[in-house]
């Protein structure tokens, strides 16, 4: 049971992750923000299908979310593919843990944690240099609409990413729905 917990990566984001992970044979993924475990399960299924043992390391600061995720991973038979770590993804030791876990740099990082401006900026500054050259850094909830998810009312992931991009102009980036101002999908014209 999810106990009414919302906030998981939705189908469009996970569809993109599927294309990136399986299309590029990515076998070292870090997820910042586990929440209730839905996206960890989906990533775990992808990685297990690719025989990528220990392919996902997922962090969350809340032990209850970590425990719930471990429970679902156990039931799905994904404990060989996914490791859940309780910890703050803004701390340097989380990067060291990932590098040790994979015996190398992550090939993909999915940033979907607090949605707070400062925390997101901290994670971008910490994790982007840890990414394997040519790897993918995927941010969830970058839209203008999702800026409202920031409980500090400071602009959320949307503002943090824009500012980080200005300071890191050489980082290749693609925004899929950054200008979305509402939850409704865009109409095809």
């Amino acid at each position: 049971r999810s106990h009414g917990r919302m906030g998981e990566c939705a189908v469009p984001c996970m569809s993109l992750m599927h294309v990136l992970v399986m299309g590029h044979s990515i076998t070292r993924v870090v997820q910042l923000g586990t929440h209730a475990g839905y996206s960890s399960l989906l990533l775990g299924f992808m990685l297990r299908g690719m025989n990528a043992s220990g392919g996902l390391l997922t962090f969350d600061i809340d032990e209850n979310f970590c425990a719930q995720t471990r429970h679902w991973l156990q039931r799905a038979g994904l404990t060989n593919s996914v490791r859940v770590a309780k910890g703050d993804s803004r701390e340097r030791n989380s990067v060291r843990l990932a590098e040790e876990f994979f015996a190398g740099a992550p090939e993909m990082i999915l940033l979907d944690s607090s949605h707070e401006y400062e925390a997101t900026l901290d994670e971008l500054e910490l994790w982007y240099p840890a990414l394997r050259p040519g790897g993918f850094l995927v941010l969830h909830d970058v839209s203008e609409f999702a800026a409202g998810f920031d409980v500090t009312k400071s602009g959320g992931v949307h503002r943090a990413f824009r500012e980080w991009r200005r300071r890191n102009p050489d980082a290749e980036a693609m925004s899929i729905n950054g200008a979305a101002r509402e939850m409704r999908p865009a109409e095809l014209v």
Side-chain angles (χ1 to χ4, degrees):
R1 269 184 43 197
S2 69
H3 304 286
R5 294 180 176 144
M6 295 298 291
E8 291 293 334
C9 265
V11 172
C13 181
M14 292 313 299
S15 295
L16 173 64
M17 295 296 294
H18 184 266
V19 168
L20 293 174
V21 169
M22 299 197 80
H24 293 275
S25 299
I26 292 172
T27 59
R28 298 188 313 256
V29 180
V30 171
Q31 179 183 25
L32 309 178
T34 302
H35 200 61
Y38 171 73
S39 50
S40 298
L41 281 169
L42 293 178
L43 287 165
F45 287 129
M46 290 176 220
L47 292 162
R48 183 175 67 188
M50 296 167 49
N51 295 316
S53 180
L56 173 64
L57 176 62
T58 182
F59 288 93
D60 205 281
I61 200 164
D62 185 310
E63 180 54 41
N64 292 325
F65 287 140
C66 291
Q68 181 176 350
T69 301
R70 286 184 195 105
H71 168 79
W72 287 114
L73 292 169
Q74 177 73 33
R75 287 196 60 187
L78 293 171
T79 55
N80 289 334
S81 300
V82 182
R83 177 174 174 199
V84 179
K86 181 193 177 297
D88 188 339
S89 54
R90 295 178 300 161
E91 293 179 0
R92 182 84 199 129
N93 68 337
S94 61
V95 172
R96 279 193 297 276
L97 178 64
E99 291 169 345
E100 290 169 8
F101 179 72
F102 295 126
E107 298 170 313
M108 174 179 281
I109 298 166
L110 171 59
L111 197 161
D112 188 23
S113 55
S114 75
H115 300 86
E116 295 173 5
Y117 161 74
E118 279 190 48
T120 302
L121 204 50
D122 289 347
E123 287 169 322
L124 285 166
E125 294 293 338
L126 180 64
W127 284 95
Y128 182 74
L131 188 62
R132 184 200 76 178
F136 295 95
L137 174 62
V138 178
L139 283 74
H140 189 237
D141 295 319
V142 180
S143 69
E144 287 183 36
F145 171 80
F149 299 168
D150 180 351
V151 296
T152 68
K153 307 290 185 225
S154 300
V157 178
H158 182 75
R159 176 181 169 205
F161 181 66
R162 281 191 335 227
E163 290 179 9
W164 181 82
R165 283 288 297 133
R166 278 195 294 273
R167 291 197 302 260
N168 296 276
D170 293 334
E172 293 183 41
M174 174 178 65
S175 180
I176 294 174
N177 68 348
R181 292 187 175 93
E182 56 188 74
M183 195 72 152
R184 228 181 62 198
E187 294 180 24
L188 298 176
V189 184

